[in-house]
Amino acid sequence: MRASLSIITVLCLGSLKVSALDIFPGKFVAGPKDSRITLSCDKTTETPMTWTLDGQEIESEKGIIEIEDNTVTLPKLDVDVTGNFTCWSEGQEVDYTYVLLDMSDTITDSPVSCTAETFNCTSTISCTMNEKGYEHFRLRDERNNDWLTLSTDGRFLLTHKTNPFAEEAEPVVVLGEAVSTLKHYFKIRYSFYIRDIIRPGCPRVSVLKKNNVSVLDVNPPVSWTLPLSFYPLEHEIEFQKRTDGKIISQFYTQPNVSTLFGKPFKMK
């Protein structure tokens, strides 16, 4: 977004009003440094308006905060003029808008990372979002306006349906936003193909006794896509031997599941 742009999108996502930026504001505008922003009360009254910024009454000051009735203009946005702008009439709150400094241009690497345990993604894709200096994040699927569910371990859960036997024609796209207590904001667009984010779950491993020999039996995770012959997994098994206080590691790799079952590993 260039500084010369004067139109900033207003996101009206609820009626929750905040002064301390400890959650996402219900209504806010975001613009880059030195951009021009104009705020107005969405509700009109016949009585004169007054304005406050984070609870402190403000007056018009040319070049910094310019007030005209129910409109506030910030000619050159800076962190000093960010916060909760509220308009009042006869001592009653009329409307508010939170102003944030858009730092999207400073985000160089994607803060979003997504994984799936199976190609058959009629279940859940797990996404995380993290960026130094930011405390509050949210993520949504570009196909709709619903914010993704945040699990108890801080992961965003996305349900995506696709045909696991067909080539992916379009990537999955998620849109992320974040705010910080410093009244900074950024947004990100992250796209991926299911085939690129597959991270299989832990295999099912058991030790079986066959002909007085201990055999290591390795099976794909329960979540893995069937049939196994169409979606084979390559397993790498590490054995550690302890000899005279030294640990020696040996690695064994099986190219596919059928070979694994045909020639099971023997524990030495």
Side-chain angles (χ1 to χ4, degrees), residues 3-8 29-40 51-53 58-68 71-86 97-101:
S4 60
L5 288 180
S6 59
I7 299 177
I8 306 295
V29 300
K33 182 178 173 62
D34 293 332
S35 62
R36 181 182 181 88
I37 289 181
T38 299
L39 311 174
S40 62
W51 287 84
T52 60
L53 172 57
I58 56 176
E59 296 181 352
S60 185
E61 185 175 354
K62 187 173 178 59
I64 300 177
I65 300 178
E66 300 173 356
I67 303 174
E68 185 177 351
T71 300
V72 168
T73 300
L74 308 175
K76 298 186 69 173
L77 181 61
D78 202 347
V79 69
D80 293 337
V81 287
T82 58
N84 185 8
F85 284 81
T86 306
T97 302
Y98 216 101
V99 177
L100 303 174
L101 193 63

Side-chain angles (χ1 to χ4, degrees), residues 10-252:
V10 179
L11 303 180
C12 301
L13 302 170
S15 59
L16 182 63
K17 176 169 66 72
V18 295
S19 292
L21 196 56
D22 54 1
I23 58 175
F24 259 95
K27 177 183 176 183
F28 68 89
V29 300
K33 182 178 173 62
D34 293 332
S35 62
R36 181 182 181 88
I37 289 181
T38 299
L39 311 174
S40 62
C41 281
D42 289 345
K43 303 172 185 177
T44 58
T45 66
E46 296 179 356
T47 56
M49 292 280 188
T50 58
W51 287 84
T52 60
L53 172 57
D54 290 338
Q56 300 295 318
E57 187 170 347
I58 56 176
E59 296 181 352
S60 185
E61 185 175 354
K62 187 173 178 59
I64 300 177
I65 300 178
E66 300 173 356
I67 303 174
E68 185 177 351
D69 297 329
N70 68 331
T71 300
V72 168
T73 300
L74 308 175
K76 298 186 69 173
L77 181 61
D78 202 347
V79 69
D80 293 337
V81 287
T82 58
N84 185 8
F85 284 81
T86 306
C87 54
W88 304 77
S89 177
E90 296 184 328
Q92 299 295 317
E93 180 182 326
V94 179
D95 197 10
Y96 84 98
T97 302
Y98 216 101
V99 177
L100 303 174
L101 193 63
D102 192 337
M103 306 295 289
S104 299
D105 290 344
T106 67
I107 307 300
T108 55
D109 297 322
S110 175
V112 180
S113 177
C114 297
T115 59
E117 288 192 353
T118 174
F119 287 99
N120 188 18
C121 287
T122 55
S123 53
T124 301
I125 298 172
S126 174
C127 298
T128 58
M129 189 172 178
N130 185 49
E131 180 67 24
K132 185 178 180 180
Y134 290 82
E135 297 81 18
H136 309 289
F137 303 89
R138 62 186 181 185
L139 205 65
R140 67 180 174 89
D141 190 340
E142 190 180 53
R143 298 170 302 175
N144 54 61
N145 291 320
D146 295 331
W147 297 105
L148 301 183
T149 302
L150 186 62
S151 64
T152 54
D153 61 354
R155 294 179 175 273
F156 296 95
L157 305 179
L158 167 64
T159 299
H160 181 72
K161 294 183 179 180
T162 186
N163 181 356
F165 299 99
E167 184 72 19
E168 293 177 86
E170 299 291 338
V172 180
V173 180
V174 292
L175 304 175
E177 295 181 319
V179 295
S180 75
T181 55
L182 297 177
K183 303 171 186 176
H184 289 174
Y185 162 90
F186 78 80
K187 58 184 175 182
I188 192 79
R189 185 177 186 270
Y190 178 69
S191 64
F192 57 87
Y193 289 96
I194 303 298
R195 60 178 180 266
D196 295 329
I197 65 166
I198 292 294
R199 299 291 184 273
C202 293
R204 291 171 291 163
V205 180
S206 58
V207 179
L208 307 177
K209 285 288 186 178
K210 293 184 178 180
N211 300 323
N212 294 323
V213 176
S214 295
V215 176
L216 186 65
D217 187 27
V218 181
N219 292 280
V222 176
S223 59
W224 192 244
T225 305
L226 299 176
L228 298 179
S229 59
F230 193 86
Y231 294 99
L233 278 178
E234 180 179 286
H235 300 276
E236 183 180 80
I237 309 298
E238 177 186 5
F239 289 95
Q240 289 187 344
K241 294 182 177 181
R242 299 177 182 269
T243 305
D244 297 330
K246 297 180 180 180
I247 299 177
I248 301 175
S249 295
Q250 291 180 309
F251 293 88
Y252 297 87

